Amino acid sequence: KIPPVPAYTYELKIKLPNGTEHPLKVVIPPGPDGKPDQKMLDRILASIAQMPIEKVESAQTIRINPAENFQDPYWRNQPGYSKDHESAATGGNGIIDFYPCSSDPTRYGSTSGRTAAEVDTAILDFFIETTLHEQGHNVNAKVYQETVKKLKEVTPSEEWIAAMVMDEKYKSHYATSNPGEDFAETVAMYVLQP
């Protein structure tokens, strides 16, 4: 069981095209000084601003977690996953969770040979792209809810595999792992590179 940690919770209201407001909760642990981490909140707000407004309702909560994803030890023992696998983020149930990811420090902007401004830009780019990717999982789950509920296995269909082989164009190697990751990577690409 994971013990609770102190955190700041922000209740946002996002105005939708139909005039209604969508509530979105943002949960962030305190910064090193124990105070709200304004820079982290700014990164999340910039990420939310990139979400397609008509799909923002698929997200209810964005959380910054101070500890690794509790499912990472399970995935480290699964075929196709490395023994040092770390989730940078997860999504799909209306929640987008970010986790510390020490195995790939460049994800958070390696400081080697970079100015502070370049590091901040790299971190912001990471948050925006990752938020859009995880929001893709939320949209996928909401739109294809019945399909997701009936899905008994994560094995990609022969049709999907054939399409990936024939196309030879995909957003990332990660997109080739299964249809869910393909969909999420495509959502991020569609928003960032229309």
Side-chain angles (χ1 to χ4, degrees), residues 116-127:
E118 289 170 333
V119 171
D120 282 346
T121 299
I123 294 170
L124 179 59
D125 290 348
F126 166 79
F127 268 87

mmCIF file with all atom_site columns, all heavy atoms in Angstrom, residues 116-127:
data_model
loop_
_atom_site.group_PDB
_atom_site.id
_atom_site.type_symbol
_atom_site.label_atom_id
_atom_site.label_alt_id
_atom_site.label_comp_id
_atom_site.label_asym_id
_atom_site.label_entity_id
_atom_site.label_seq_id
_atom_site.pdbx_PDB_ins_code
_atom_site.Cartn_x
_atom_site.Cartn_y
_atom_site.Cartn_z
_atom_site.occupancy
_atom_site.B_iso_or_equiv
_atom_site.pdbx_formal_charge
_atom_site.auth_seq_id
_atom_site.auth_comp_id
_atom_site.auth_asym_id
_atom_site.auth_atom_id
_atom_site.pdbx_PDB_model_num
ATOM 1  N N   . ALA A 1 116 ? 19.976 26.861 -18.922 1.00 0.00 ? 116 ALA A N   1
ATOM 2  C CA  . ALA A 1 116 ? 18.792 26.673 -18.081 1.00 0.00 ? 116 ALA A CA  1
ATOM 3  C C   . ALA A 1 116 ? 17.514 26.850 -18.905 1.00 0.00 ? 116 ALA A C   1
ATOM 4  O O   . ALA A 1 116 ? 16.543 26.104 -18.737 1.00 0.00 ? 116 ALA A O   1
ATOM 5  C CB  . ALA A 1 116 ? 18.817 27.642 -16.904 1.00 0.00 ? 116 ALA A CB  1
ATOM 6  N N   . ALA A 1 117 ? 17.513 27.821 -19.821 1.00 0.00 ? 117 ALA A N   1
ATOM 7  C CA  . ALA A 1 117 ? 16.334 28.049 -20.674 1.00 0.00 ? 117 ALA A CA  1
ATOM 8  C C   . ALA A 1 117 ? 16.074 26.855 -21.581 1.00 0.00 ? 117 ALA A C   1
ATOM 9  O O   . ALA A 1 117 ? 14.912 26.459 -21.793 1.00 0.00 ? 117 ALA A O   1
ATOM 10 C CB  . ALA A 1 117 ? 16.520 29.312 -21.504 1.00 0.00 ? 117 ALA A CB  1
ATOM 11 N N   . GLU A 1 118 ? 17.147 26.257 -22.120 1.00 0.00 ? 118 GLU A N   1
ATOM 12 C CA  . GLU A 1 118 ? 16.988 25.069 -22.977 1.00 0.00 ? 118 GLU A CA  1
ATOM 13 C C   . GLU A 1 118 ? 16.440 23.886 -22.180 1.00 0.00 ? 118 GLU A C   1
ATOM 14 O O   . GLU A 1 118 ? 15.604 23.131 -22.679 1.00 0.00 ? 118 GLU A O   1
ATOM 15 C CB  . GLU A 1 118 ? 18.321 24.700 -23.623 1.00 0.00 ? 118 GLU A CB  1
ATOM 16 C CG  . GLU A 1 118 ? 18.770 25.682 -24.681 1.00 0.00 ? 118 GLU A CG  1
ATOM 17 C CD  . GLU A 1 118 ? 20.200 25.447 -25.147 1.00 0.00 ? 118 GLU A CD  1
ATOM 18 O OE1 . GLU A 1 118 ? 21.020 24.913 -24.377 1.00 0.00 ? 118 GLU A OE1 1
ATOM 19 O OE2 . GLU A 1 118 ? 20.483 25.804 -26.311 1.00 0.00 ? 118 GLU A OE2 1
ATOM 20 N N   . VAL A 1 119 ? 16.893 23.734 -20.949 1.00 0.00 ? 119 VAL A N   1
ATOM 21 C CA  . VAL A 1 119 ? 16.393 22.650 -20.093 1.00 0.00 ? 119 VAL A CA  1
ATOM 22 C C   . VAL A 1 119 ? 14.910 22.879 -19.803 1.00 0.00 ? 119 VAL A C   1
ATOM 23 O O   . VAL A 1 119 ? 14.099 21.959 -19.908 1.00 0.00 ? 119 VAL A O   1
ATOM 24 C CB  . VAL A 1 119 ? 17.211 22.548 -18.781 1.00 0.00 ? 119 VAL A CB  1
ATOM 25 C CG1 . VAL A 1 119 ? 16.556 21.585 -17.809 1.00 0.00 ? 119 VAL A CG1 1
ATOM 26 C CG2 . VAL A 1 119 ? 18.633 22.115 -19.089 1.00 0.00 ? 119 VAL A CG2 1
ATOM 27 N N   . ASP A 1 120 ? 14.548 24.109 -19.443 1.00 0.00 ? 120 ASP A N   1
ATOM 28 C CA  . ASP A 1 120 ? 13.134 24.407 -19.175 1.00 0.00 ? 120 ASP A CA  1
ATOM 29 C C   . ASP A 1 120 ? 12.270 24.122 -20.396 1.00 0.00 ? 120 ASP A C   1
ATOM 30 O O   . ASP A 1 120 ? 11.174 23.570 -20.278 1.00 0.00 ? 120 ASP A O   1
ATOM 31 C CB  . ASP A 1 120 ? 12.955 25.873 -18.754 1.00 0.00 ? 120 ASP A CB  1
ATOM 32 C CG  . ASP A 1 120 ? 13.341 26.114 -17.299 1.00 0.00 ? 120 ASP A CG  1
ATOM 33 O OD1 . ASP A 1 120 ? 13.484 25.129 -16.547 1.00 0.00 ? 120 ASP A OD1 1
ATOM 34 O OD2 . ASP A 1 120 ? 13.500 27.293 -16.929 1.00 0.00 ? 120 ASP A OD2 1
ATOM 35 N N   . THR A 1 121 ? 12.747 24.490 -21.581 1.00 0.00 ? 121 THR A N   1
ATOM 36 C CA  . THR A 1 121 ? 12.004 24.226 -22.822 1.00 0.00 ? 121 THR A CA  1
ATOM 37 C C   . THR A 1 121 ? 11.850 22.727 -23.049 1.00 0.00 ? 121 THR A C   1
ATOM 38 O O   . THR A 1 121 ? 10.769 22.257 -23.419 1.00 0.00 ? 121 THR A O   1
ATOM 39 C CB  . THR A 1 121 ? 12.700 24.898 -24.021 1.00 0.00 ? 121 THR A CB  1
ATOM 40 O OG1 . THR A 1 121 ? 12.726 26.308 -23.804 1.00 0.00 ? 121 THR A OG1 1
ATOM 41 C CG2 . THR A 1 121 ? 11.977 24.600 -25.323 1.00 0.00 ? 121 THR A CG2 1
ATOM 42 N N   . ALA A 1 122 ? 12.916 21.962 -22.828 1.00 0.00 ? 122 ALA A N   1
ATOM 43 C CA  . ALA A 1 122 ? 12.853 20.505 -23.012 1.00 0.00 ? 122 ALA A CA  1
ATOM 44 C C   . ALA A 1 122 ? 11.853 19.874 -22.044 1.00 0.00 ? 122 ALA A C   1
ATOM 45 O O   . ALA A 1 122 ? 11.086 18.984 -22.420 1.00 0.00 ? 122 ALA A O   1
ATOM 46 C CB  . ALA A 1 122 ? 14.241 19.891 -22.824 1.00 0.00 ? 122 ALA A CB  1
ATOM 47 N N   . ILE A 1 123 ? 11.846 20.342 -20.809 1.00 0.00 ? 123 ILE A N   1
ATOM 48 C CA  . ILE A 1 123 ? 10.912 19.808 -19.815 1.00 0.00 ? 123 ILE A CA  1
ATOM 49 C C   . ILE A 1 123 ? 9.475  20.154 -20.207 1.00 0.00 ? 123 ILE A C   1
ATOM 50 O O   . ILE A 1 123 ? 8.585  19.306 -20.159 1.00 0.00 ? 123 ILE A O   1
ATOM 51 C CB  . ILE A 1 123 ? 11.245 20.330 -18.404 1.00 0.00 ? 123 ILE A CB  1
ATOM 52 C CG1 . ILE A 1 123 ? 12.600 19.774 -17.957 1.00 0.00 ? 123 ILE A CG1 1
ATOM 53 C CG2 . ILE A 1 123 ? 10.154 19.940 -17.411 1.00 0.00 ? 123 ILE A CG2 1
ATOM 54 C CD1 . ILE A 1 123 ? 13.147 20.414 -16.688 1.00 0.00 ? 123 ILE A CD1 1
ATOM 55 N N   . LEU A 1 124 ? 9.244  21.396 -20.627 1.00 0.00 ? 124 LEU A N   1
ATOM 56 C CA  . LEU A 1 124 ? 7.902  21.800 -21.044 1.00 0.00 ? 124 LEU A CA  1
ATOM 57 C C   . LEU A 1 124 ? 7.447  20.983 -22.251 1.00 0.00 ? 124 LEU A C   1
ATOM 58 O O   . LEU A 1 124 ? 6.312  20.485 -22.282 1.00 0.00 ? 124 LEU A O   1
ATOM 59 C CB  . LEU A 1 124 ? 7.862  23.297 -21.368 1.00 0.00 ? 124 LEU A CB  1
ATOM 60 C CG  . LEU A 1 124 ? 6.507  23.820 -21.840 1.00 0.00 ? 124 LEU A CG  1
ATOM 61 C CD1 . LEU A 1 124 ? 5.421  23.575 -20.795 1.00 0.00 ? 124 LEU A CD1 1
ATOM 62 C CD2 . LEU A 1 124 ? 6.610  25.297 -22.180 1.00 0.00 ? 124 LEU A CD2 1
ATOM 63 N N   . ASP A 1 125 ? 8.326  20.813 -23.240 1.00 0.00 ? 125 ASP A N   1
ATOM 64 C CA  . ASP A 1 125 ? 7.979  20.001 -24.414 1.00 0.00 ? 125 ASP A CA  1
ATOM 65 C C   . ASP A 1 125 ? 7.611  18.572 -24.003 1.00 0.00 ? 125 ASP A C   1
ATOM 66 O O   . ASP A 1 125 ? 6.663  17.992 -24.525 1.00 0.00 ? 125 ASP A O   1
ATOM 67 C CB  . ASP A 1 125 ? 9.133  19.970 -25.416 1.00 0.00 ? 125 ASP A CB  1
ATOM 68 C CG  . ASP A 1 125 ? 9.349  21.298 -26.116 1.00 0.00 ? 125 ASP A CG  1
ATOM 69 O OD1 . ASP A 1 125 ? 8.471  22.192 -26.014 1.00 0.00 ? 125 ASP A OD1 1
ATOM 70 O OD2 . ASP A 1 125 ? 10.410 21.450 -26.758 1.00 0.00 ? 125 ASP A OD2 1
ATOM 71 N N   . PHE A 1 126 ? 8.387  18.007 -23.075 1.00 0.00 ? 126 PHE A N   1
ATOM 72 C CA  . PHE A 1 126 ? 8.096  16.658 -22.569 1.00 0.00 ? 126 PHE A CA  1
ATOM 73 C C   . PHE A 1 126 ? 6.704  16.614 -21.944 1.00 0.00 ? 126 PHE A C   1
ATOM 74 O O   . PHE A 1 126 ? 5.921  15.718 -22.233 1.00 0.00 ? 126 PHE A O   1
ATOM 75 C CB  . PHE A 1 126 ? 9.152  16.222 -21.554 1.00 0.00 ? 126 PHE A CB  1
ATOM 76 C CG  . PHE A 1 126 ? 8.735  15.008 -20.774 1.00 0.00 ? 126 PHE A CG  1
ATOM 77 C CD1 . PHE A 1 126 ? 8.838  13.745 -21.338 1.00 0.00 ? 126 PHE A CD1 1
ATOM 78 C CD2 . PHE A 1 126 ? 8.216  15.122 -19.498 1.00 0.00 ? 126 PHE A CD2 1
ATOM 79 C CE1 . PHE A 1 126 ? 8.430  12.619 -20.635 1.00 0.00 ? 126 PHE A CE1 1
ATOM 80 C CE2 . PHE A 1 126 ? 7.808  14.004 -18.793 1.00 0.00 ? 126 PHE A CE2 1
ATOM 81 C CZ  . PHE A 1 126 ? 7.918  12.748 -19.368 1.00 0.00 ? 126 PHE A CZ  1
ATOM 82 N N   . PHE A 1 127 ? 6.384  17.588 -21.078 1.00 0.00 ? 127 PHE A N   1
ATOM 83 C CA  . PHE A 1 127 ? 5.076  17.590 -20.419 1.00 0.00 ? 127 PHE A CA  1
ATOM 84 C C   . PHE A 1 127 ? 3.940  17.744 -21.428 1.00 0.00 ? 127 PHE A C   1
ATOM 85 O O   . PHE A 1 127 ? 2.915  17.070 -21.318 1.00 0.00 ? 127 PHE A O   1
ATOM 86 C CB  . PHE A 1 127 ? 4.997  18.684 -19.350 1.00 0.00 ? 127 PHE A CB  1
ATOM 87 C CG  . PHE A 1 127 ? 5.402  18.201 -18.000 1.00 0.00 ? 127 PHE A CG  1
ATOM 88 C CD1 . PHE A 1 127 ? 6.730  18.225 -17.611 1.00 0.00 ? 127 PHE A CD1 1
ATOM 89 C CD2 . PHE A 1 127 ? 4.463  17.683 -17.131 1.00 0.00 ? 127 PHE A CD2 1
ATOM 90 C CE1 . PHE A 1 127 ? 7.113  17.750 -16.370 1.00 0.00 ? 127 PHE A CE1 1
ATOM 91 C CE2 . PHE A 1 127 ? 4.832  17.207 -15.889 1.00 0.00 ? 127 PHE A CE2 1
ATOM 92 C CZ  . PHE A 1 127 ? 6.165  17.239 -15.508 1.00 0.00 ? 127 PHE A CZ  1
#
